[in-house]
Amino acid sequence: IEPDTFDNRGTSTYSLVEEWQTTRDNQITSKSRKQLFSSLGQKLFQITKDIQRTAQGNDESDPTIPFINTVCHFLSLNKSFEMDTELLRGNLLKMLGVGEFSDKAKFGTANEETLVFPDVICAYCNDCCNLDLLRDEQLRKRKWKCKVCNHSYNKNVLEHKLITLLQKRAVAYQNQDLKCSKCKLVKVSNTKLICGNCCGKFECIITKQDFSKDLAIFQKIAEYHHFEWLGEIV
């Protein structure tokens, strides 16, 4: 086909081919999206229930959340499925009683001991960034400097913010709601000893093990960066 070939209406042959391919791709994408939420979606819900049932009582090595994150990660590699996959992932995590944006639901680095300090603002140039306190290459060399203007951060201010964050997590742990270990419903009445929906036992939403891990991370940060005040609070 010659590049300057035109049909009777003056439309380029190449343009017609591109338009046909685009229409065909859109039809395939629409069909694939419907299959994702009809067939594959139902299968994932069933598989997730089976994995959860098998791993029940073994919180330390529960593979349910890593399975959800891994499958949804590969599905999201197709950019046209990205939003639909996020919705599917949220529904699967909701079935487990896990928040979509909680630390427990993070993919890839969820099991690594670290703390990302969000929205740290440089007092000199007002640059805003997130600081990974245990994995950032610059911080690991004990260089608390802005990557834009190279001015030093005020470590005392950052240590005070870390203490405030630790205290908030401690208060959240002490004042948390209880949930049913079976149906995951939140306890409504303070007088009930068992769940009125399924007669299951109540348990903490934030477990003792999770809070102990948080304390260990703060302790590690205090020792690594010589935050004596933070270490005393922990």
Side-chain angles (χ1 to χ4, degrees):
I1 304 175
E2 296 295 334
D4 56 350
T5 301
F6 289 87
D7 62 2
N8 294 331
R9 294 173 294 177
T11 305
S12 172
T13 304
Y14 282 160
S15 298
L16 290 174
V17 172
E18 290 177 358
E19 183 179 353
W20 177 83
Q21 289 178 338
T22 302
T23 304
R24 181 176 177 272
D25 291 342
N26 290 336
Q27 290 174 349
I28 294 175
T29 301
S30 178
K31 182 179 180 181
S32 300
R33 187 179 292 114
K34 290 180 181 178
Q35 291 177 347
L36 175 66
F37 284 96
S38 59
S39 176
L40 182 58
Q42 293 177 6
K43 290 180 180 179
L44 284 176
F45 272 98
Q46 185 59 48
I47 293 173
T48 302
K49 289 181 180 179
D50 293 339
I51 295 175
Q52 186 185 25
R53 191 182 304 111
T54 303
Q56 195 169 14
N58 191 5
D59 294 334
E60 294 297 326
S61 58
D62 186 356
T64 313
I65 295 178
F67 167 76
I68 293 173
N69 285 333
T70 302
V71 173
C72 291
H73 173 72
F74 282 107
L75 288 175
S76 64
L77 294 178
N78 187 329
K79 295 301 181 181
S80 61
F81 292 163
E82 194 169 5
M83 293 185 63
D84 297 325
T85 304
E86 283 298 319
L87 179 61
L88 176 62
R89 177 177 176 270
N91 290 333
L92 289 170
L93 291 172
K94 186 178 180 180
M95 183 180 67
L96 301 177
V98 178
E100 185 177 357
F101 301 102
S102 65
D103 293 337
K104 192 176 181 180
K106 288 182 179 179
F107 176 68
T109 59
N111 295 325
E112 297 184 19
E113 294 183 353
T114 188
L115 176 67
V116 178
F117 207 160
D119 302 330
V120 177
I121 300 177
C122 174
Y124 187 82
C125 69
N126 291 326
D127 178 67
C128 182
C129 67
N130 298 332
L131 294 180
D132 192 327
L133 298 180
L134 293 176
R135 293 182 303 186
D136 187 280
E137 291 296 330
Q138 186 168 297
L139 295 183
R140 291 176 68 178
K141 298 177 182 178
R142 309 267 188 330
K143 295 181 179 179
W144 289 78
K145 293 186 177 182
C146 175
K147 295 180 180 179
V148 176
C149 66
N150 207 35
H151 278 72
S152 298
Y153 291 114
N154 190 328
K155 287 186 63 177
N156 292 330
V157 174
L158 295 177
E159 183 179 14
H160 183 269
K161 290 183 177 181
L162 281 171
I163 292 172
T164 301
L165 177 61
L166 174 60
Q167 291 174 337
K168 287 182 178 180
R169 293 196 178 186
V171 171
Y173 175 71
Q174 295 292 337
N175 297 333
Q176 66 176 307
D177 291 323
L178 299 178
K179 67 176 181 179
C180 176
S181 59
K182 290 184 178 180
C183 66
K184 308 302 181 183
L185 291 178
V186 176
K187 182 179 180 181
V188 178
S189 175
N190 293 328
T191 59
K192 290 184 177 180
L193 299 178
I194 58 176
C195 177
N197 182 53
C198 67
C199 297
K201 294 182 179 180
F202 290 110
E203 61 182 9
C204 294
I205 296 177
I206 305 173
T207 64
K208 181 180 178 180
Q209 291 77 11
D210 290 339
F211 185 63
S212 297
K213 288 181 181 179
D214 284 344
L215 292 178
I217 292 174
F218 278 98
Q219 182 66 40
K220 189 174 182 180
I221 291 172
E223 294 175 355
Y224 192 84
H225 295 293
H226 305 295
F227 289 145
E228 295 182 2
W229 187 17
L230 176 62
E232 292 177 2
I233 298 296
V234 174

